[in-house]
Amino acid sequence: MTKLNKKLSISICIAVILVSAISLTINKLFIHRYYLHEKKQIINDLGEDISDLSTQKLISEINKLEQEKNVTIAYTPVNLNSVNVENEVSENLSYEFWKKGISLKKFWISKDSLYKLNEQSVNKIYNQGKSKYSLLVKFIKKDNYIFAIGTTIEHSQETIEIINRFNIIMSAFSVILISILTFILSNKIIKPIEKLKLLSNDISKLKFRTEEIKTNDEIEELSQSINKMSINLEKAHNELNNRNESLKQFISDASHEMKTPVALIKAYAIGIQDGIDDGTFIDTVIEQSEHLTDLINTLLYWSKYEKKEFNMSNFDLKEKLIHCIKKYEILIEERDIKLNVNIDNDNFMINADENSIEIVLNNLISNAIKYNSNNKINIFLLKDNDEIFVSVKNGINNINKEEIANIWKPFYVLESSRSKELSGTGLGLSIVKEILEAHKFEYGTDINDEDIEFFFIVKN
């Protein structure tokens, strides 16, 4: 028996015992009074009914009234001027009751009560002692007759005690029966709860699973909620593990990227210290220091966009794209790259983080220059209904689908990169990915023949 079984059984048994105890107390204290009240109500109601009847009609309908109301009615003529009027009335009425089967050992009506009948009816109770009953009588005077409406009252104390003893036995039997039924019926409730408890314990130990429970009530709804929670926690846990693995790889790659310029700076500094500088060591140290600074700045940028720190505003994407293209015009001319820019004559206002979108455009354009194999770059800015399409396409050699799958990862650099002036950290496209995903913009990469195209779509 589970703890909940015990609690339910004990609680219900205590409730039954309390109800039984209250019932026994009420029986002992109030049932006799209630019984007497009901008897008085019967003769009082009958008294009101017969007060409207004439004496003769009442006498003629006595048998009918006795059968209908389950009472006994006796009557006798009365002469209040008689010296022994109280004895005469008492004896006559007692005799009339005796003729109708009611033997009275104690029955008496005083002279004061007889005179009082001139104004109102009088109720009296006559206890018959060892006969263990009493007679409740209502006296009414009509004309020169005294009518006595009597109903027997059983001495109920002994009966009540017997009933209470029987109730005690029944209460004990009820407690046993309820305990058994509670155990049987509560299992239908407790078993699903027990399953949910085990499920919760497993989830707390990172053993994510679900439990199918069909009860067609709130317990089933609770199980469905816990199942959803388990599925979502498992998904979040896996994502967290993947991000932790990515973080480990990121730290390893970052350490590797920083190790090279630091080692070069140290080696050339030692060369300067040893006096073997041929005039190029300082330039190399400065170049590697700048590369290390760029790497650190890029890492800071990457950390910022990982946290989704954006300042949203409305700006013209066309102006921003043209501004970014102009920054690379000299380098494009030096590389003898043919640039084709195709921009629709339309409104390109968007709501986004302006600095972040500029970083996206700069990375896509610089990558097109860095990995260019045919000295051609095509840039498109098109609008179709509520969608704005931005695309940067360039020629590239020796690229496969595996490289495309890795190209968005931090520190991944294509082997085909040959531009030392634009030598990157491998974080550019990773930052682009974080920015576009944070803005909920669609993005992707397409390979056609020997061209690679990076694009993103803004939905207004």
Side-chain angles (χ1 to χ4, degrees):
M1 181 180 286
T2 65
K3 294 179 181 178
L4 194 54
N5 280 118
K6 291 179 181 178
K7 285 184 177 180
L8 284 173
S9 298
I10 292 172
S11 299
I12 294 174
C13 290
I14 290 173
V16 171
I17 292 171
L18 287 175
V19 170
S20 299
I22 293 171
S23 177
L24 293 173
T25 303
I26 291 173
N27 286 346
K28 192 173 184 66
L29 296 178
F30 300 106
I31 195 168
H32 180 71
R33 297 179 186 179
Y34 179 75
Y35 174 70
L36 183 60
H37 168 76
E38 288 295 312
K39 287 289 189 177
K40 286 181 179 179
Q41 191 65 40
I42 291 172
I43 63 173
N44 286 335
D45 290 343
L46 182 56
E48 291 179 0
D49 293 338
I50 67 176
S51 63
D52 297 331
L53 300 176
S54 64
T55 303
Q56 296 302 320
K57 187 173 183 179
L58 174 58
I59 293 172
S60 64
E61 293 185 358
I62 281 178
N63 292 334
K64 178 182 177 183
L65 293 172
E66 286 178 334
Q67 292 177 1
E68 288 179 354
K69 302 298 183 179
N70 194 26
V71 296
T72 303
I73 302 175
Y75 68 96
T76 182
V78 62
N79 182 8
L80 295 178
N81 295 323
S82 175
V83 177
N84 295 319
V85 62
E86 64 272 23
N87 292 333
E88 294 174 358
V89 170
S90 298
E91 290 176 1
N92 291 338
L93 289 177
S94 179
Y95 177 71
E96 291 294 325
F97 277 123
W98 177 79
K99 287 197 300 182
K100 295 187 177 184
I102 299 176
S103 179
L104 299 174
K105 294 181 179 181
K106 297 179 180 180
F107 185 82
W108 180 259
I109 182 167
S110 65
K111 185 178 287 188
D112 290 340
S113 297
L114 289 173
Y115 284 114
K116 192 176 181 180
L117 290 175
N118 289 322
E119 299 176 357
Q120 62 184 35
S121 62
V122 174
N123 289 348
K124 287 186 176 295
I125 298 177
Y126 300 95
N127 191 331
Q128 302 304 305
K130 292 183 179 180
S131 298
K132 293 186 178 181
Y133 76 92
S134 298
L135 184 68
L136 174 62
V137 181
K138 186 176 190 67
F139 295 97
I140 299 174
K141 184 174 180 296
K142 289 182 72 67
D143 296 332
N144 293 323
Y145 287 90
I146 299 293
F147 290 90
I149 306 170
T151 181
T152 56
I153 300 174
E154 303 294 336
H155 286 186
S156 57
Q157 195 63 36
E158 184 178 350
T159 304
I160 292 171
E161 289 178 358
I162 295 172
I163 292 172
N164 283 345
R165 284 197 296 271
F166 178 76
N167 285 338
I168 290 172
I169 296 171
M170 289 303 298
S171 297
F173 176 75
S174 297
V175 168
I176 296 172
L177 181 62
I178 288 172
S179 298
I180 296 171
L181 291 176
T182 300
F183 176 76
I184 295 172
L185 295 176
S186 63
N187 278 335
K188 293 183 179 180
I189 300 174
I190 294 170
K191 282 186 178 179
I193 295 177
E194 187 73 18
K195 289 181 180 180
L196 291 179
K197 184 188 80 171
L198 296 175
L199 176 61
S200 301
N201 287 336
D202 287 345
I203 292 174
S204 69
K205 297 175 183 177
L206 303 182
K207 297 178 182 178
F208 301 106
R209 62 182 182 85
T210 58
E211 189 73 56
E212 194 68 25
I213 295 176
K214 296 292 183 181
T215 58
N216 296 320
D217 54 21
E218 287 77 3
I219 295 177
E220 182 178 341
E221 294 175 1
L222 176 61
S223 70
Q224 292 173 352
S225 298
I226 294 178
N227 287 340
K228 290 179 182 178
M229 180 185 69
S230 178
I231 293 170
N232 291 334
L233 284 175
E234 183 178 19
K235 182 179 178 181
H237 180 70
N238 291 336
E239 289 178 355
L240 183 61
N241 285 338
N242 292 335
R243 291 184 72 86
N244 286 339
E245 291 299 321
S246 298
L247 181 60
K248 290 178 183 178
Q249 186 63 40
F250 177 85
I251 293 173
S252 175
D253 293 341
S255 300
H256 178 75
E257 289 291 325
M258 289 182 178
K259 185 177 180 180
T260 299
V262 169
L264 289 173
I265 290 171
K266 181 179 180 180
Y268 280 97
I270 292 173
I272 294 171
Q273 187 180 44
D274 292 342
I276 58 175
D277 184 6
D278 61 356
T280 62
F281 284 19
I282 294 295
D283 293 337
T284 303
V285 169
I286 293 172
E287 180 184 346
Q288 293 302 319
S289 297
E290 290 176 349
H291 180 64
L292 188 59
T293 300
D294 290 340
L295 177 60
I296 292 171
N297 288 335
T298 307
L299 287 172
L300 291 175
Y301 274 122
W302 192 83
S303 174
K304 172 184 175 182
Y305 295 118
E306 272 279 304
K307 296 177 182 178
K308 311 296 186 295
E309 297 175 357
F310 295 113
N311 182 20
M312 307 298 283
S313 63
N314 293 319
F315 63 93
D316 191 336
L317 183 59
K318 178 167 64 175
E319 291 183 1
K320 182 61 62 179
L321 177 59
I322 294 172
H323 170 74
C324 292
I325 292 171
K326 286 182 179 180
K327 289 195 297 185
Y328 292 93
E329 281 182 348
I330 296 175
L331 194 56
I332 289 172
E333 291 177 2
E334 288 179 354
R335 299 273 170 207
D336 195 26
I337 295 174
K338 183 179 180 181
L339 177 64
N340 177 38
V341 179
N342 188 341
I343 300 177
D344 281 351
N345 185 19
D346 209 328
N347 178 23
F348 290 95
M349 293 296 296
I350 65 170
N351 182 264
D353 184 272
E354 189 171 354
N355 292 332
S356 300
I357 298 303
E358 184 172 345
I359 290 173
V360 170
L361 297 174
N362 285 336
N363 272 286
L364 295 182
I365 295 171
S366 64
N367 280 349
I369 298 172
K370 187 191 315 180
Y371 300 105
N372 201 299
S373 63
N374 60 1
N375 291 343
K376 291 180 181 179
I377 296 176
N378 293 300
I379 299 176
F380 297 92
L381 179 60
L382 310 174
K383 189 171 185 180
D384 182 14
N385 296 326
D386 293 332
E387 292 187 349
I388 296 175
F389 180 79
V390 182
S391 167
V392 179
K393 182 188 292 186
N394 61 277
I396 194 166
N397 292 329
N398 302 322
I399 188 169
N400 54 48
K401 291 182 178 180
E402 182 179 350
E403 284 189 295
I404 290 299
N406 294 324
I407 203 169
W408 301 101
K409 294 180 179 180
F411 299 107
Y412 186 82
V413 179
L414 291 175
E415 292 297 327
S416 55
S417 175
R418 294 291 182 266
S419 176
K420 292 184 179 180
E421 292 85 348
L422 287 172
S423 178
T425 61
L427 285 172
L429 287 178
S430 177
I431 292 175
V432 169
K433 174 178 177 289
E434 293 294 333
I435 292 173
L436 294 177
E437 287 183 351
H439 282 80
K440 297 182 180 179
F441 294 165
E442 294 182 24
Y443 68 95
T445 308
D446 284 335
I447 300 176
N448 297 311
D449 297 330
E450 294 182 352
D451 290 334
I452 185 170
E453 179 183 23
F454 291 90
F455 66 89
F456 66 92
I457 300 172
V458 181
K459 294 183 178 180
N460 286 332

